[in-house]
Amino acid sequence: MVGMGAASSAAACGGVYTVQSGDSLSVIANELYKNASKWSAIYQANVSTIGDDPERIDPGQRLTLICIDGLPLGLEGGVDVENVVALSAPLDVPLGTAAVRDKINLLTADDFRPFTDRSLPGGGMYTEIVQATMEAAAPEQGFAIHWVNDWSSHQEPLLSNALLDLGFPWFKPDCEANPETYRCENLVFSDPVFEVLTLMFVTTDNPISFTQEDDILGKTLCRPQGFSTFIFDHQGRNWLRDEKITLETPESVDACFMGLASGAYDGVILNEFTGRETISALGLEGQVDVAAGQPIAIDGLHVIAHKSHPDAEALMALVNGGLADIKENGTYQQVIDAHMTRIWASF
C-alpha cells in the first residue's frame, strides 16, 4: 500500500515520495495520480535514480513526483500549483531570421512538440533550457536562436558549412556500435540536455508488454517515416538487421496510430510525448495506451555542432559548462517541472 510520506502543506502539489515495500511505479501512479499509466511520468523524472529498468525500485528510494492536474498532494517538498505553471510567453521570432555573424548562432525548427515549437511557452521545453544554458554560459559575443523549418537542411548544409554554429535538439546514435553512421562521423554532441523515453504503444484489446526481447520478436511495429530507426539495432539487439521484427513506416504519426487501432500493427514506437499527444488528438483514449514493462529506449537529446566547424569543440565546452551551471543552481529543474506540468495536463 502506498504511503503519503511526510506532508508539508495540503495545498502543495508534487514533491518527494519515499518508496515503500510492495510498491511499483504503476502502484504509486495509481495511488497518487489516480492513473496507473502515469508510471512513465514518474520514471521520466527519476531515470537517474531508478536506472534502466523501471520495474526495479527499492524501498527507501526517494522519487520526485511532478505536479500533474493538481496531484499528488501532501508530499514533502511540494510547491504551489500556481508557481509551477507560471511559464514564459510564446516566442515571437520571425521564420528564418538571418544569422548575425558576430554572435553564436543556434539553429532549431518548429513542429517537434513539446521540445521545440514557437507556439509553445518559451518556444518549447528544450528551447527554454537552451536559452537558459546560453545565458548561464554568457559568451562574450552573445548568441541568437534561429528557426528554419526544414529539419533536413540543418546538418547539411547549414551546420556543415558553418552558416550557423550549433543545432538542437538531436538524438545521438550508438556510436560505439555504429561509428560509420553520418551523425557519428560528422557531428560533435553536447552532454545530454534531456532524456526521452521511447515507448511502445499498444491497444487495450491486444495489450502486449515489453519486458524482454522475446516479447517483441515476430511483431509488426510502426514508426513514422523520417523518424530514426537506429534504436532497433543499437546495444546489439539487431531487431531490424536480423529481421526479428517487421517495421512499417507510413508517412505520418496519425497513420501509425490509426493502423494500430485497426489491428494492422502490434505496436507503435514513439517518444512518450508525441505518442500521448496523438492519442489525445485522435480520440483514442481507452483504446490505445503505453505498453507495460520497459521503455524501448532511453535516448538523450543533444545540442550538436558539425566537426567541420573550426570552433566545434570550444562551442560544445561552452554549452556543457552552461548546462552544468543551470543544473547546479536549480534553473534546469524549474524549467522542466513547469513544462512537464503543462504537458501532462494536456493528455
Side-chain angles (χ1 to χ4, degrees):
M1 181 176 179
V2 176
M4 290 300 290
S8 54
S9 167
C13 179
V16 177
Y17 172 76
T18 301
V19 175
Q20 311 292 311
S21 178
D23 275 349
S24 67
L25 296 187
S26 296
V27 167
I28 298 169
N30 190 56
E31 181 71 17
L32 296 182
Y33 288 128
K34 312 305 179 187
N35 185 338
S37 75
K38 289 183 177 175
W39 67 267
S40 58
I42 304 174
Y43 185 47
Q44 175 79 68
N46 296 277
V47 169
S48 60
T49 299
I50 297 171
D52 293 339
D53 187 351
E55 296 191 329
R56 297 187 64 179
I57 58 174
D58 300 316
Q61 281 182 317
R62 289 167 62 80
L63 304 180
T64 299
L65 274 64
I66 61 171
C67 179
I68 302 174
D69 285 338
L71 294 174
L73 298 175
L75 293 181
E76 170 193 348
V79 295
D80 189 291
V81 180
E82 291 183 2
N83 291 335
V84 130
V85 298
L87 293 167
S88 55
L91 295 180
D92 182 17
V93 181
L95 177 63
T97 303
V100 180
R101 295 317 307 163
D102 60 351
K103 292 185 176 182
I104 296 174
N105 294 285
L106 296 100
L107 174 64
T108 191
D110 293 308
D111 201 27
F112 189 26
R113 301 166 66 91
F115 304 109
T116 61
D117 195 295
R118 280 170 292 178
S119 69
L120 297 174
M125 177 171 62
Y126 202 99
T127 306
E128 194 161 353
I129 293 171
V130 168
Q131 178 79 24
T133 292
M134 295 303 293
E135 288 174 355
E140 183 178 345
Q141 66 270 52
F143 69 93
I145 295 175
H146 308 280
W147 300 74
V148 176
N149 280 357
D150 178 4
W151 286 100
S152 65
S153 72
H154 286 204
Q155 294 175 25
E156 296 279 357
L158 297 178
L159 294 176
S160 64
N161 288 287
L163 299 174
L164 293 104
D165 303 304
L166 298 167
F168 69 89
W170 292 92
F171 289 108
K172 180 181 180 181
D174 182 353
C175 290
E176 289 188 10
N178 302 288
E180 73 287 351
T181 63
Y182 174 89
R183 295 187 190 185
C184 296
E185 287 187 337
N186 292 281
L187 302 180
V188 178
F189 293 85
S190 71
D191 295 336
V193 176
F194 185 77
E195 291 187 314
V196 181
L197 305 184
T198 297
L199 304 176
M200 181 165 65
F201 295 85
V202 298
T203 62
T204 52
D205 291 338
N206 182 30
I208 61 174
S209 61
F210 175 56
T211 57
Q212 56 186 349
E213 185 168 312
D214 287 349
D215 296 333
I216 289 287
L217 301 187
K219 298 296 190 292
T220 298
L221 305 177
C222 188
R223 187 163 170 82
Q225 208 172 93
F227 283 65
S228 62
T229 59
F230 62 77
I231 60 170
F232 298 110
D233 288 329
H234 74 171
Q235 298 177 344
R237 53 177 45 157
N238 294 335
W239 293 347
L240 274 182
R241 190 174 304 168
D242 296 343
E243 299 182 348
K244 296 177 181 180
I245 62 169
T246 299
L247 183 66
E248 300 291 344
T249 56
E251 291 185 355
S252 69
V253 173
D254 287 5
C256 269
F257 278 97
M258 295 307 293
L260 177 66
S262 70
Y265 314 127
D266 296 302
V268 173
I269 308 300
L270 274 176
N271 77 74
E272 173 167 29
F273 306 114
T274 301
R276 288 188 183 274
E277 188 173 79
T278 305
I279 290 169
S280 178
L282 295 178
L284 294 176
E285 298 97 333
Q287 294 178 253
V288 176
D289 209 341
V290 173
Q294 304 174 15
I296 297 295
I298 305 171
D299 292 309
L301 282 169
H302 303 256
V303 177
I304 61 169
H306 201 279
K307 289 181 179 178
S308 62
H309 194 297
D311 299 319
E313 295 292 348
L315 287 168
M316 214 49 70
L318 184 81
V319 170
N320 288 338
L323 181 61
D325 286 345
I326 66 169
K327 286 186 174 182
E328 184 176 351
N329 68 26
T331 300
Y332 177 90
Q333 199 58 50
Q334 289 171 7
V335 172
I336 295 294
D337 288 351
H339 281 273
M340 283 297 185
T341 294
R342 177 187 55 80
I343 291 162
W344 275 95
S346 69
F347 297 143

